[in-house]
Amino acid sequence: MTDIRTPLRRRPAQRRSAERVQRMLDACAEILDEDGYDGLTTTRIAQRAEVAIGSVYQFFPDKRAVAQALALRNLEQFEQRVSERLGGGGFDDWSDTVGAIIEIFVDMHRSVPGFRVLRFGDVADVRLLDEGAENNSVVADRLRELIVDTFGIAETPGLARALAIAVEAADAVLKLAFRRDPSGDPDILAEAERLIHGYLAAHITTT
């Protein structure tokens, strides 16, 4: 698994401090939905979260770090949802998980504050999740681990490469779907699933 360092200057030691940090992340998400990343400032985060500006800087050096923490929260939520869905079974093989994973991503895009703007961080930095890897690579790495653990398949360079390509392709097509329709163009979403499933199914039969 990619080792991601926390963007926090220091970890909150008490529940009250942890709750305050979560309010800052919630405020960040709301501002992103309203005005995008360019409209995000630490002052606005403090005002929206109803904390002193010093409280923001106590935990975060700048707005990028707040966005990074929110992107990591998005990734953790996505990973948890995917893990629960895969654990529920009902898949003949691992390539059949594509529809479920896309469905989770689309639901988060529609319902999770800030996700439609930030997602996993590209709007701020293509290496926001981890300075040593691009955001899509981090997502692909997490999905690979979940799939290997759930289906008991071997970790190979071919599998890693296939999932890296699948994530990149899905990212591009899903962006198109949401550009066409704020809720996700249903025809393009269906094509995304068909495209990625077909590619991964072919990968299974040729490896």
Side-chain angles (χ1 to χ4, degrees):
M1 180 183 294
T2 305
D3 185 19
I4 301 174
R5 291 182 296 176
T6 176
L8 292 169
R9 276 180 159 162
R10 69 178 184 84
R11 294 183 181 276
Q14 299 177 339
R15 186 176 68 178
R16 185 171 61 181
S17 296
E19 291 172 347
R20 190 160 63 246
V21 168
Q22 291 305 312
R23 288 208 313 275
M24 295 175 199
L25 299 187
D26 292 341
C28 176
E30 292 173 4
I31 296 166
L32 287 171
D33 277 342
E34 293 169 6
D35 297 310
Y37 186 71
D38 288 342
L40 185 68
T41 66
T42 52
T43 298
R44 292 191 67 189
I45 291 169
Q47 292 171 344
R48 184 66 61 91
E50 298 183 342
V51 300
I53 188 66
S55 292
V56 176
Y57 288 122
Q58 183 181 13
F59 294 101
F60 300 102
D62 50 33
K63 77 170 189 177
R64 182 187 182 280
V66 185
Q68 183 183 8
L70 181 61
L72 287 168
R73 190 172 76 172
N74 288 343
L75 178 62
E76 290 168 3
Q77 184 175 347
F78 177 71
E79 185 177 6
Q80 181 179 358
R81 290 190 183 191
V82 171
S83 178
E84 291 173 353
R85 181 66 183 86
L86 299 192
F91 304 104
D92 291 332
D93 58 54
W94 66 268
S95 71
D96 292 332
T97 65
V98 171
I101 293 171
I102 289 177
E103 182 179 334
I104 290 167
F105 180 90
V106 170
D107 180 69
M108 290 183 65
H109 198 286
R110 293 170 176 167
S111 63
V112 175
F115 190 83
R116 66 178 177 84
V117 175
L118 184 65
R119 307 210 289 184
F120 302 119
D122 279 12
V123 70
D125 187 335
V126 295
R127 292 178 181 263
L128 189 67
L129 293 174
D130 183 341
E131 64 182 17
E134 293 187 353
N135 300 326
N136 280 346
S137 295
V138 176
V139 174
D141 186 51
R142 295 296 179 90
L143 289 175
R144 177 181 51 79
E145 290 197 341
L146 289 172
I147 288 168
V148 166
D149 289 345
T150 302
F151 294 94
I153 61 177
E155 288 201 62
T156 65
L159 175 64
R161 182 173 59 251
L163 286 173
I165 292 170
V167 168
E168 289 289 347
D171 181 51
V173 179
L174 291 173
K175 283 178 179 175
L176 174 62
F178 286 107
R179 285 201 305 270
R180 294 285 180 87
D181 182 337
S183 296
D185 184 293
D187 292 333
I188 296 178
L189 292 176
E191 285 299 300
E193 180 179 348
R194 186 177 71 84
L195 174 71
I196 304 306
H197 180 270
Y199 167 71
L200 291 177
H203 176 80
I204 290 173
T205 60
T206 56
T207 57

